[in-house]
Amino acid sequence: MTRLITIHKGLVFTIIMRMTNDYHTSEDLTQDTFIKAFMNIKRVKSGEHFRPWICTIARNVARDYHRRAKNSAAVSFDQVKEFHGHWDDSIRKRVVIQDALAKLAERDRMMLTLTYYQGLTLREVADVMKMTESNVKVCIHRARKRLRKQLEGYENELV
Amino acid sequence: MKMNSCEHVDKVIDYRLHRLTGKQEKEFEAHLESCAVCRQEMAIELAIEGELAVELKPGFIEDRVMVHLRLRREQGLRSLWLYIYRVIVLGLTAAVVTFVLMPFLLKFPLKSFFEISQLASGLDGLLDGLPQVNPIFVAVGFGYVLLIASSIYTLARTRRWQ
């Protein structure tokens, strides 16, 4: 079990962090995700289903948190500084993109996170989002356009 | 269209998502070499993709998860014992109600109640027309209903605690 956590905690944390924008909350929610997953581990049909399954749990945990918190906090520069321990252009870029992501709808955010997170196949993304693969492709395209629109005016920070 | 903009700039996302046909892709690549606007857009898109692909790392959460899991399991086990204990207590209560209390109640106070209400309403002979039901059967039925209802209630509460 500890090994499973070590392997997948980055994935779960990344999903939740993209959804909540809060490091400490994301860490707590990552923990909750694994607890929920292990309490219901019998539901996983096979090892290959574990990754999309835990992504779905992470998504639901983050959604529940949003429902309780009602508003998603914007990333504060201090928070990111605390997270990384230092401050440079790459972190500025991260904050700008994270902030733009926070302004998107939950589905767009989830879609982009899952798609661009290395190692997740289109099939897995479709499983988590409960969509067909072709639908996922269309939604990714729209989400990318919306994200780009949010980033208008920040071009200098990005390149 | 903005100044220093290009009509092909929207194709950058399509290109990155492989939504262009082979011919369109080649044309766009050729265009990219000569267009600074599209090249910059491409750089932005690559930066976004690069950032989205970054895995964010949490702290060491493994131990905390395992401790929570152990506590939950212990709590679950305690709830199971509590459930068994409650079912036994409720079963005994239901048995006492069924075999002791209800026959006693049906024999004395209820009989008097029927007699009084009959006189008060003037409906003489109403009870005579009803089929005869053994009060013990009524009592046993009531006891079983009570036992089943209390078990379902206890089970629901126990599962909520878990």
Side-chain angles (χ1 to χ4, degrees):
Chain A
M1 271 190 189
T2 313
R3 213 173 137 248
L4 271 178
I5 301 172
T6 311
I7 293 168
H8 298 287
K9 70 177 180 182
L11 168 67
V12 172
F13 181 76
T14 306
I15 291 169
I16 295 174
M17 182 73 184
R18 299 274 190 223
M19 308 279 277
T20 63
N21 266 346
D22 185 308
Y23 180 79
H24 297 294
T25 305
S26 301
E27 218 175 46
D28 289 345
L29 295 181
T30 303
Q31 203 175 298
D32 289 352
T33 303
F34 279 106
I35 292 167
K36 277 192 178 172
F38 290 136
M39 296 290 283
N40 300 293
I41 194 89
K42 284 176 192 163
R43 289 188 197 172
V44 187
K45 288 170 207 153
S46 65
E48 66 191 53
H49 288 101
F50 185 77
R51 206 157 62 148
W53 182 68
I54 201 154
C55 288
T56 310
I57 297 176
R59 186 192 185 195
N60 291 338
V61 165
R63 269 175 163 182
D64 286 348
Y65 169 78
H66 267 288
R67 240 172 260 144
R68 285 198 307 269
K70 284 283 172 202
N71 53 345
S72 61
V75 200
S76 77
F77 283 72
D78 286 344
Q79 214 180 1
V80 181
K81 218 170 177 177
E82 182 195 341
F83 177 39
H84 292 278
H86 64 286
W87 188 250
D88 58 27
D89 283 350
S90 67
I91 293 168
R92 187 177 293 276
K93 186 167 79 180
R94 178 157 299 170
V95 174
V96 167
I97 294 175
Q98 185 73 23
D99 240 352
L101 264 179
K103 287 172 190 155
L104 297 182
E106 184 266 341
R107 199 176 74 162
D108 286 351
R109 246 182 294 171
M110 189 70 191
M111 191 78 80
L112 290 172
T113 306
L114 292 175
T115 307
Y116 289 100
Y117 180 75
Q118 288 160 0
L120 250 82
T121 63
L122 205 61
R123 179 72 257 156
E124 285 176 324
V125 177
D127 273 356
V128 176
M129 301 303 295
K130 311 262 183 293
M131 284 179 177
T132 60
E133 287 181 41
S134 52
N135 245 347
V136 167
K137 278 183 191 170
V138 174
C139 289
I140 291 166
H141 185 253
R142 288 180 188 155
R144 275 288 290 268
K145 288 208 161 178
R146 287 189 198 112
L147 179 63
R148 181 66 190 91
K149 203 168 169 57
Q150 290 293 339
L151 287 165
E152 269 175 13
Y154 291 99
E155 285 80 3
N156 292 337
E157 273 90 350
L158 296 173
V159 286
Chain B
M1 198 181 292
K2 290 176 201 166
M3 293 283 286
N4 54 6
S5 183
C6 170
E7 59 178 323
H8 298 294
V9 82
D10 283 344
K11 285 185 186 162
V12 174
I13 292 179
D14 294 331
Y15 177 77
R16 291 300 305 160
L17 292 173
H18 307 289
R19 285 167 67 95
L20 300 177
T21 61
K23 191 184 165 209
Q24 286 172 328
E25 217 172 89
K26 281 199 176 81
E27 280 171 6
F28 183 70
E29 279 166 6
H31 167 76
L32 210 55
E33 282 174 26
S34 61
C35 179
V37 176
C38 287
R39 271 206 306 276
Q40 197 198 347
E41 192 60 27
M42 182 65 87
I44 290 168
E45 289 302 330
L46 289 173
I48 294 171
E49 280 179 24
E51 182 50 41
L52 289 173
V54 168
E55 181 184 276
L56 307 171
K57 297 266 184 199
F60 190 76
I61 59 162
E62 283 85 338
D63 281 353
R64 275 183 283 163
V65 173
M66 297 315 284
V67 167
H68 271 272
L69 272 175
R70 207 180 59 228
L71 286 173
R72 292 265 180 123
R73 282 207 187 110
E74 282 170 9
Q75 197 184 13
L77 207 63
R78 267 205 304 274
S79 299
L80 182 70
W81 280 114
L82 200 66
Y83 169 68
I84 293 168
Y85 168 75
R86 281 181 174 224
V87 166
I88 290 170
V89 169
L90 284 166
L92 285 173
T93 311
V96 168
V97 169
T98 307
F99 298 110
V100 182
L101 206 59
M102 284 301 284
F104 175 77
L105 284 172
L106 285 169
K107 225 172 227 174
F108 302 103
L110 273 181
K111 194 180 172 191
S112 323
F113 171 77
F114 280 129
E115 280 168 3
I116 292 162
S117 61
Q118 227 179 319
L119 286 171
S121 61
L123 297 168
D124 290 341
L126 180 72
L127 289 174
D128 297 340
L130 293 174
Q132 291 294 311
V133 180
N134 189 339
I136 297 296
F137 286 150
V138 176
V140 171
F142 179 78
Y144 277 115
V145 168
L146 187 74
L147 177 66
I148 291 164
S150 56
S151 296
I152 290 169
Y153 173 73
T154 315
L155 183 64
R157 287 290 301 268
T158 314
R159 286 188 69 81
R160 207 178 304 154
W161 291 332
Q162 282 175 355

